[in-house]
Amino acid sequence: MPMPKWWGHVNKRVFNPRAIAGRTWPVLIHVGRVSGATYRTPLDAHPVDGGYLFVLVYGSRSDWVRNVLAADGARLRVGGREVALAAPRLVGEDEAFQALPDKVARPPRLLRITEFLRMDLAAG
């Protein structure tokens, strides 16, 4: 059961600004593929070997995912620092679950999340 469209609007207008201001959530900094504007999106970013894994709650057609894929990377503000990420790629749940540490909860099956985004730490 996908999230209703109205939830995305509430998320962008109410929860995202609070999460960014609070500095407790990891924030993905990415560039709009059409506008060229810089966007900040709070997300669950899970550290994995050599990079980070993102659960695609809204699927791979989300604007932020399309922006990151088009730009071939992004930056992530996490733990009080910023890291550069490169080589974004969509991965399935088998690869994602294998990469995630055992202590990280898997998305509930009810949400039917089957796509994830993995990015590597950029060299340099």
Side-chain angles (χ1 to χ4, degrees):
M1 176 168 95
M3 297 284 187
K5 278 192 175 204
W6 62 265
W7 181 250
H9 297 293
V10 169
N11 217 8
K12 281 183 184 179
R13 307 277 187 266
V14 177
F15 297 114
N16 286 2
R18 288 181 183 173
I20 291 168
R23 296 190 172 267
T24 56
W25 284 85
V27 175
L28 191 72
I29 303 159
H30 53 99
V31 177
R33 63 196 177 286
V34 175
S35 68
T38 299
Y39 294 99
R40 287 167 177 74
T41 305
L43 298 166
D44 278 331
H46 301 285
V48 295
D49 188 32
Y52 283 86
L53 185 77
F54 302 86
V55 179
L56 302 185
V57 176
Y58 298 107
S60 61
R61 302 295 299 158
S62 298
D63 281 330
W64 75 265
V65 176
R66 294 166 63 199
N67 289 343
V68 167
L69 291 171
D72 201 31
R75 294 185 330 268
L76 182 67
R77 190 182 78 204
V78 61
R81 63 187 177 101
E82 218 173 89
V83 296
L85 299 175
R89 59 207 177 273
L90 297 172
V91 298
E93 62 184 317
D94 289 342
E95 183 177 337
F97 291 173
Q98 187 175 14
L100 283 172
D102 290 337
K103 65 182 180 183
V104 175
R106 281 25 181 186
R109 288 255 180 239
L110 176 68
L111 295 179
R112 297 183 183 165
I113 297 170
T114 59
E115 294 179 302
F116 300 80
L117 183 76
R118 185 167 181 169
M119 286 193 273
D120 299 330
L121 293 170

